[in-house]
């Protein structure tokens, strides 16, 4: 009997202990989950920031490489197929001007010979399929050039005509379209300069004032959202490309020979008459091939050929 009482009593103690232990374990789990919830809520924004920053930094590097590729095309004599800077007024009658971006959202339905990204692809040794969209399914290598990792199109805008230089803007939005949007494209100096003159690197930068009224207040506000004075402006990667313009001065002191200056695939594009002294060509984009012939009439005899890297002066005597 004593032995039974001992077991019964001991069993009761064990039962009570197990219940207490089980209650404590559940409470512990609840507390751990609560703490984890707080940690996740605290860490999640930082983790998201790290991911977004990494995506942006990777895209910035890609744009640097792409901008360098575009600059290598400025020396190309094939203006229709290779030279990015094939602008209206700077090409021959048989040439096709480069097709630059004319929208901030539209994707390319097909690939044309003169598309800027097709020319960039050829500069990298690729052979784009003309008439086929640059998608990951049909042209994966070209799609990697035309689109960023978020799926947004990379954009190349040509600046307005101006003295001394031709500007280009290479633009890539690393945020989803439901997070940030760009204002619709406008073929104006004000629209272009709003992008050109803004700071896209600082974490506290503000979107261009020109955008006010171009996108909705909610869309504009999305660019300024952030804690501690930080904004989302840095998520737009922008690279500025400048191609200088130069002139050729022809001092023609010869009594009978004229100087015929060919450039932009136009022959001749400029003539310095015999014994006319100093003659200055219109501005010519850097990298263009300059050919100078001399004679009493066209075509004359080739006297000089060179790439235009600076303002040049030629004397014919």
């Amino acid at each position: 009997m004593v032995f039974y009482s001992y077991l019964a009593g001991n069993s009761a103690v064990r039962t009570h202990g197990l219940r207490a232990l089980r209650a404590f374990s559940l409470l512990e789990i609840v507390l751990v989950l609560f703490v984890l919830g707080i940690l996740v809520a605290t860490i999640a924004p930082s983790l998201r920031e790290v991911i977004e920053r990494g995506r942006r930094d990777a895209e910035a590097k890609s744009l640097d490489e792409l901008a360098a590729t575009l600059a290598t095309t400025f020396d190309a004599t094939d203006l229709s197929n290779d030279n990015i800077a094939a602008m209206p007024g700077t090409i021959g009658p048989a040439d096709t001007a480069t097709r630059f971006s004319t929208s901030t959202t539209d994707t390319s339905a097909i690939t044309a010979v003169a598309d800027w990204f097709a020319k960039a692809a050829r500069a990298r040794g690729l052979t784009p399929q003309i008439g086929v969209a640059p998608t990951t399914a049909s042209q994966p290598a070209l799609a990697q050039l035309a689109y960023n990792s978020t799926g947004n199109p990379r954009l190349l805008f040509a600046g307005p005509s101006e003295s001394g230089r031709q500007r280009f803007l290479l633009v890539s939005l690393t945020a989803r379209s439901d997070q940030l949007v760009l204002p619709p494209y406008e073929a104006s100096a004000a629209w272009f300069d709003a992008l050109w003159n803004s700071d896209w690197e600082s974490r506290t930068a503000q979107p261009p004032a020109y955008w006010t009224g171009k996108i909705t207040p909610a869309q504009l506000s999305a660019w300024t959202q952030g804690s501690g004075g930080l904004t989302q402006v840095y998520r737009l990667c922008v690279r500025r490309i400048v191609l200088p313009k130069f002139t050729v001065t022809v001092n023609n002191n010869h009594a009978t020979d004229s100087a015929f200056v060919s450039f932009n695939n136009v022959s001749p594009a400029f003539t310095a008459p015999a014994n006319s002294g100093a003659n200055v060509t219109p501005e010519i984009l850097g990298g263009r091939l300059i050919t100078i012939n001399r004679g009493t009439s066209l075509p004359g005899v080739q006297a000089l050929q060179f790439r235009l890297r600076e303002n040049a002066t030629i004397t014919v005597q």
Side-chain angles (χ1 to χ4, degrees):
M1 181 67 69
V2 173
F3 182 69
Y4 175 79
S5 298
Y6 170 78
L7 288 176
N10 195 38
S11 176
V13 171
R14 287 200 303 272
T15 302
H16 176 74
L18 287 173
R19 289 176 178 172
L21 181 60
R22 186 178 297 112
F24 180 76
S25 298
L26 291 174
L27 177 61
E28 185 179 48
I29 292 173
V30 170
L31 289 174
V32 168
L33 291 176
F34 178 74
V35 172
L36 286 176
I38 294 176
L39 289 175
V40 169
T42 303
I43 295 173
S46 299
L47 182 59
R48 184 169 59 250
E49 170 69 16
V50 170
I51 294 173
E52 291 173 353
R53 188 70 185 182
R55 181 184 295 118
R56 195 271 182 193
D57 290 346
E59 182 61 13
K61 182 179 179 180
S62 295
L63 284 199
D64 286 337
E65 295 171 352
L66 183 52
T69 296
L70 297 177
T72 65
T73 72
F74 294 154
D75 284 0
T77 54
D78 188 341
L79 302 182
S80 294
N81 293 286
D82 298 329
N83 198 313
I84 293 291
M87 321 288 296
T90 71
I91 57 178
D95 294 318
T96 301
T98 298
R99 295 208 323 178
F100 295 98
S101 301
T102 56
S103 170
T104 56
T105 57
D106 288 348
T107 57
S108 299
I110 63 169
T111 301
V113 171
D115 278 334
W116 74 266
F117 55 85
K119 291 186 175 185
R122 282 188 282 268
R124 289 187 172 184
L126 302 175
T127 304
Q129 299 179 52
I130 305 307
V132 180
T135 64
T136 54
S138 58
Q139 301 196 72
L142 187 61
Q144 288 182 357
L145 191 152
Y147 297 93
N148 62 28
S149 61
T150 312
N152 293 327
R154 293 186 176 119
L155 308 168
L156 182 64
F157 300 109
S161 177
E162 57 188 315
S163 177
R165 64 180 181 175
Q166 175 60 57
R167 294 180 292 161
F168 305 91
L169 276 170
L170 184 59
V171 177
S172 180
L173 180 61
T174 61
R176 300 191 312 270
S177 58
D178 61 329
Q179 296 174 321
L180 297 172
V181 298
L182 293 169
Y185 172 76
E186 297 175 9
S188 69
W191 188 94
F192 185 90
D193 286 337
L195 283 171
W196 184 274
N197 296 325
S198 294
D199 179 4
W200 302 104
E201 301 297 327
S202 172
R203 286 301 320 277
T204 59
Q206 296 294 311
Y210 183 80
W211 287 9
T212 303
K214 304 297 181 180
I215 52 179
T216 68
Q219 291 171 336
L220 187 62
S221 176
W223 286 93
T224 61
Q225 290 179 1
S227 60
L230 302 181
T231 68
Q232 303 300 311
V233 171
Y234 80 103
R235 298 179 72 181
L236 182 67
C237 293
V238 176
R239 291 296 177 266
R240 302 167 181 85
I241 304 171
V242 178
L243 176 59
K245 297 178 181 179
F246 304 108
T247 59
V248 177
T249 300
V250 181
N251 294 315
N252 193 344
N253 302 320
H254 198 274
T256 59
D257 281 359
S258 294
F260 307 108
V261 186
S262 300
F263 53 88
N264 294 340
N265 288 348
V266 177
S267 179
F270 182 81
T271 300
N275 202 29
S276 59
N279 299 264
V280 183
T281 67
E283 288 188 320
I284 306 168
L285 292 173
R288 293 297 166 92
L289 183 66
I290 308 297
T291 302
I292 298 179
N293 288 15
R294 60 182 296 175
T296 56
S297 61
L298 286 171
V301 178
Q302 182 175 311
L304 187 63
Q305 190 174 68
F306 59 94
R307 293 275 176 197
L308 191 60
R309 309 289 187 194
E310 58 185 359
N311 291 326
T313 299
I314 308 298
T315 299
V316 179
Q317 56 185 9

